[in-house]
Amino acid sequence: MSAIVGAESIHEHAESHEHHHVSQNFWQKYIFSEDHKVIAKQYLITGIIWAVIGISMSVIFRIQLGMPDSNLSWLKPVLGQWISDSGKLDPNFYLALVTMHGTIMVFFVLTAGLSGTFSNFLIPLQIGARDMASGFMNMLSYWFFFLASIIMFGSIFLQTGPAAGGWVIYPPLSALPEAHPGSGMGMTLWLTSMAFFIVSQLLGGINYITTVINLRTRGMSFDRLPLTIWAFLITAVLGLISFPVLLSSVLLLIMDRHFGTSFYLSDIYINGEALPNVGGSPILFQHLFWFLGHPEVYIVLLPGLGITSEVIATNARKPIFGYRAMIASMLGIAFLAFIVWAHHMFVTGMNPFLGSVFMFLTLIIAVPSAVKGFNYITTLWRGNIVFTPGMLFSIGLVSLFVSGGLTGIILGNSALDIQLHDTYFVVAHFHLVMGAASAFGLFAGVYHWFPKMFGRMMNPTLGQLHFWLSFIGIYMVFIPMHYVGIAGFPRRYYQFTSYDFTHKFMDMNMFISIAAIFSFLAQFIFLWNFFYSIFKGKKAPKNPWRSNTLEWTTPVNVGHGNWEGEIPAVYRWSYDYSKPGAKEDFIPQNVPYSQTLESNLPHENELIATEKEIEAQNFNDQFKTAH
C-alpha cells in the first residue's frame, strides 16, 4: 500500500516540476493554495479567530458565575434576546455558551489550529520534502474545516440558539429535538459541522502519515527525525483510528433525531407521554464518544509536546535527553490512550471489577508521561538557556503538564472520581493538562517558527510579557478551581446562589472570574504582536535561533518547493548542540561527519563511509529541482 502511495506521490511531484513555471493568480496562491505553508497559515489564522470567539464565550459565563447579581444589559447589543430586560443572562443560553466554548476550544482551536498549523508547516520542511504527498488533499482538508467552521459559527445566530448539551452532547438530551431550545436546529448544525470537521481531520491525517513515510530526504532515517515529526506522525495515527468512531456516533445520533431509530433512546417520557423508542442505550454513545474523547486529549497534547522538545533543546543549547525514550513514551501514551476511555464513565454503573481494570490502565499512563517530564527537566539541567518567548512557553507547558497531570492521578482512582465527577475539580484538571498546556505549545510554536512563516521577528519583550501574564493568570484561575471542586461545586450550573453550602465560596468564585478576565485581556498582547509583526516586524535572519533542523536551511522567504536547488541530504540527528570540540554550539543535520572530525565520536567516524551512499540516493526528481 505504501509503495503505491509513494509511487503516486512521486508521479505527482514530477508533474509539479514540469509545470513549475506556470504563474498563479491570487486565488490559487493564497486562497485555494496547495502549498503546505500557505495552508498552515490558513489553519493558524482560522484557529486564532476561533480562539478569540471561544475564550470570549468563557468570559461571559465566568461573569455570570462570579458575579451572578450583576446587570449584563451592556451585552445586549451583542447577545440580543439572550439578555433579559432586567439584564440577566438566559439560562438556556448559558448552557449553549458552555457547550460551544468546549467544542470550539477542543476541536477548532487545539486540534485544527495546533496540529493543522504545525503538522502542515513543519512536516515537509523538517523531513526534506517539496510539499505534502497530495497538495490537493491538503487543500481539501482545510476547506472541509472551513466549511465546518462556517456551519458552527452560523448556528450561534439561530433564534433558538446554538447546541446546548455540554461539549460531550450526551443523549437523550441531544437526541430529542423537542427536549429544550438547544436540542433543536442548533444541535443539528453542531452534528453536521462535526461530520465535516472529522472528514477534514481524516484527509489531513492520511496526508501527514504518507508524507512522513514516503517523502523523507536522503539520509533522513526514522532515528534522525526531529521529535516534532514523531509527535505529528503519532498524532495523525491516533486521529485516523479514533475520529471514525466519533463520526459513527454522530451519524447514529442524527438517525435517532431525524429517522426514528433508537440507538440511544429507550423508555423516554415527555410531558407524561411515552415515546415509541425502545431498546437503545445512552451509555452506548458515551462508549463511542470517549473512544475518541480520550485519544483526543493526546491528539491535542502530543503536537505541543513535540514542539516543546524542539524548542527546549534549541534554547537550552543541549541535545534532548533520552531521544529514544521520548519516542517510546509517545508510542506508549498513544497505545494506552485507546484502552482507558471508560475512566470517564466510572459513574455510569459499570461493574466495579471493570472499573478497577480501567483505573489500573489509567494510572499506568503516568509512567510514560513522567518519562517525558523528567527528560525535559534533565535537558534544561545545566543548559546554556536562552529565554526566548518560545522557550518560556515551552517551560510553562512542562509546568502545566506536570501540575495538571498530578490531579489526573486523583481522578483516575475510581473511588475518588465518584466523588469528584462533574465538579469543578475535573474542569480545573483538564484545563491545565490539556487546554492551557496545549495552548502554551501553540504559542511556543508560533513564537519559534514565526520567522520562517513570515520572514519577520515578533517583538520578544511583548512575547515575554504575554507569557508571564498568561502563566500567572492561568494558575490564578485553575488552582482555586480545584478547591471549589473538592467542596462539591457541580459544573455547568447556571448559578450557585440557590444553595447554602456554596455561598461560602462566592468570593473565590469571583476571584476565579476576575482572573479569567485578566488572562483573556493578556491575549491581546499576543494578537497585537502577531499581526503587527507580520507586516512591520524586524526582518528575520536565515537561522535566528541557530537551530539544526532542515527548515532553517531554506531561504528566509520560502517559495513553493521549499528549497531553490537540490534538497539537502541528512547525515546526523537533529540535536547536536554544544558538542565538545565543535567550532560552534550547533551542527545542522545537513553537515556531514567528514566536516566535523574535531568533534566526532568514535562511532560517528565510522559513519563517514556511508556519506557517499546517502548522496547517491536520488530516488526521484523531487530532490533536485524546486517547483
Side-chain angles (χ1 to χ4, degrees), residues 136-195:
F136 179 73
M137 187 184 290
N138 208 19
M139 178 191 72
L140 274 184
S141 172
Y142 171 74
W143 285 104
F144 269 108
F145 168 54
F146 187 81
L147 178 60
S149 296
I150 293 297
I151 295 171
M152 190 69 75
F153 185 71
S155 74
I156 298 172
F157 302 96
L158 291 172
Q159 186 173 2
T160 53
W167 77 278
V168 293
I169 58 159
Y170 284 168
L173 187 63
S174 61
L176 300 170
E178 63 269 41
H180 76 135
S183 293
M185 179 57 72
M187 186 64 70
T188 300
L189 292 182
W190 191 100
L191 294 167
T192 307
S193 172
M194 286 306 300

Side-chain angles (χ1 to χ4, degrees), residues 47-119:
I48 288 173
I49 293 169
W50 269 123
V52 172
I53 295 171
I55 300 174
S56 298
M57 290 177 172
S58 71
V59 169
I60 294 171
F61 64 69
R62 271 317 319 179
I63 292 173
Q64 166 63 32
L65 288 170
M67 293 147 266
D69 297 325
S70 60
N71 190 315
L72 300 180
S73 297
W74 57 278
L75 281 173
K76 200 169 181 64
V78 179
L79 300 183
Q81 63 175 337
W82 304 112
I83 301 292
S84 68
D85 293 336
S86 59
K88 299 300 179 185
L89 182 69
D90 184 276
N92 282 321
F93 193 67
Y94 170 85
L95 182 58
L97 286 174
V98 173
T99 303
M100 295 298 286
H101 165 75
T103 303
I104 288 167
M105 298 307 294
V106 171
F107 294 114
F108 288 23
V109 178
L110 296 177
T111 301
L114 176 54
S115 183
T117 297
F118 290 104
S119 294

Side-chain angles (χ1 to χ4, degrees), residues 509-530:
N509 225 348
M510 182 181 291
F511 175 83
I512 292 171
S513 293
I514 293 169
I517 296 168
F518 170 82
S519 302
F520 172 66
L521 294 176
Q523 306 318 305
F524 286 94
I525 299 171
F526 169 78
L527 292 175
W528 166 260
N529 196 2
F530 180 83

Side-chain angles (χ1 to χ4, degrees), residues 122 126 224-229 231-232 303-320 323 326 376 379 390-391 394 444-445 448-449 543 545-552 573-575 577 589:
L122 291 178
Q126 290 197 334
R224 289 174 177 168
L225 286 175
L227 289 172
T228 42
I229 303 302
F232 300 148
L305 293 173
I307 288 167
T308 294
S309 300
E310 181 65 29
V311 174
I312 283 181
T314 300
N315 290 289
R317 313 310 294 169
K318 280 181 64 181
I320 193 77
Y323 173 81
M326 293 291 253
Y376 287 135
T379 303
M391 182 63 158
S394 294
H448 190 76
W449 280 287
N543 188 358
W545 317 122
R546 296 162 60 84
S547 188
N548 290 340
T549 42
L550 285 183
E551 73 270 27
W552 304 107
W573 75 328
S574 56
Y575 299 105
Y577 292 106
Q589 283 189 283

Side-chain angles (χ1 to χ4, degrees), residues 308-483:
T308 294
S309 300
E310 181 65 29
V311 174
I312 283 181
T314 300
N315 290 289
R317 313 310 294 169
K318 280 181 64 181
I320 193 77
F321 185 88
Y323 173 81
R324 292 178 186 274
M326 293 291 253
I327 296 169
S329 66
M330 286 192 285
L331 291 170
I333 287 171
F335 172 73
L336 289 169
F338 284 109
I339 53 176
V340 297
W341 77 90
H343 68 214
H344 297 273
M345 302 168 58
F346 284 143
V347 297
T348 58
M350 70 164 58
N351 184 297
F353 174 74
L354 186 61
S356 68
V357 172
F358 278 103
M359 181 182 79
F360 173 75
L361 294 170
T362 300
L363 297 180
I364 288 292
I365 286 192
V367 176
S369 300
V371 169
K372 296 197 75 66
F374 284 121
N375 282 8
Y376 287 135
I377 294 167
T378 312
T379 303
L380 290 167
W381 176 251
R382 302 186 72 178
N384 187 17
I385 298 175
V386 183
F387 288 106
T388 65
M391 182 63 158
L392 289 172
F393 274 102
S394 294
I395 296 171
L397 182 150
V398 176
S399 170
L400 293 165
F401 180 60
V402 172
S403 57
L406 289 174
T407 57
I409 296 173
I410 297 169
L411 290 171
N413 186 310
S414 57
L416 295 174
D417 181 75
I418 288 169
Q419 306 302 318
L420 296 171
H421 186 81
D422 263 353
T423 69
Y424 271 92
F425 191 92
V426 178
V427 177
H429 157 70
F430 74 73
H431 274 82
L432 281 182
V433 78
M434 184 178 83
S438 301
F440 271 39
L442 175 61
F443 287 132
V446 170
Y447 281 110
H448 190 76
W449 280 287
F450 188 91
K452 185 53 57 182
M453 285 185 175
F454 299 103
R456 295 182 181 272
M457 304 291 289
M458 294 181 75
N459 184 308
T461 304
L462 288 179
Q464 289 164 351
L465 180 63
H466 172 222
F467 166 75
W468 285 112
L469 294 180
S470 300
F471 185 73
I472 294 168
I474 283 167
Y475 272 120
M476 286 169 62
V477 171
F478 296 114
I479 292 298
M481 200 177 282
H482 286 90
Y483 292 97

